Amino acid sequence: MTARLVPCAHCAGLNRIPAERLGDAPRCGHCKSAVLSRTPFVLDAPRFDQQIKGDLPLLVDVWASWCGPCRAFAPTFEQAAAQLVGVCRLAKLDSEANPQLSTRLGIRSIPSLILFRDGRELARQSGAMPLPQLLAWLKQQGVG
């Protein structure tokens, strides 16, 4: 029985969850909320370092409210979150609300997707894409 270390989408508390139970809507041992979300959760600077930890990959969509392609990509990102529960966590980072973190991440264009695992950046992709292309890109990175 392999356990996965997964930060809670709500409180960022780390939870050890058996891999075969990831699809069973596990609850956080800290805040009792669902650890995994079927929708992208909001990521901000104070929780960033804790959220990128863990064995379950985290895909971050860096966006801004004024960005047309970002708004157009949002429904696709939500669809991906629903399909990838227990495989990959998805989060949205508002670049305007978190300018220092956006700078730290080296964001030069939006939307930008950054894939993290075990506290490290694994891959990066700029620009919106359709769902099949997004899922294929994740598969190329070993997710899915």
Side-chain angles (χ1 to χ4, degrees):
M1 183 184 315
T2 306
R4 297 284 184 124
L5 193 60
V6 183
C8 174
H10 301 279
C11 74
L14 291 174
N15 293 271
R16 192 168 303 283
I17 303 170
E20 59 275 0
R21 302 289 316 267
L22 287 171
D24 296 343
R27 295 272 172 200
C28 177
H30 305 274
C31 73
K32 309 302 181 213
S33 296
V35 172
L36 303 172
S37 176
R38 296 188 59 78
T39 59
F41 64 91
V42 175
L43 186 61
D44 57 18
R47 298 186 321 153
F48 175 77
D49 289 325
Q50 193 70 9
Q51 285 293 350
I52 64 171
K53 293 179 181 176
D55 307 321
L56 204 60
L58 173 66
L59 180 61
V60 178
D61 173 18
V62 184
W63 69 286
S65 60
W66 52 263
C67 169
C70 296
R71 289 193 315 270
F73 181 61
T76 300
F77 200 67
E78 291 211 11
Q79 290 173 346
Q83 288 188 25
L84 296 168
V85 174
V87 176
C88 183
R89 301 175 312 122
L90 278 74
K92 296 186 72 70
L93 175 68
D94 183 342
S95 62
E96 281 190 283
N98 298 278
Q100 290 177 325
L101 181 54
S102 295
T103 299
R104 177 178 148 199
L105 293 173
I107 300 302
R108 290 181 179 72
S109 65
I110 52 174
S112 283
L113 298 173
I114 308 173
L115 182 63
F116 295 93
R117 182 184 284 147
D118 298 321
R120 296 180 301 114
E121 180 178 325
L122 295 180
R124 183 179 290 235
Q125 175 75 36
S126 292
M129 61 184 94
L131 184 61
Q133 186 180 347
L134 173 59
L135 296 175
W137 179 75
L138 284 170
K139 195 169 281 273
Q140 287 176 338
Q141 311 311 319
V143 177

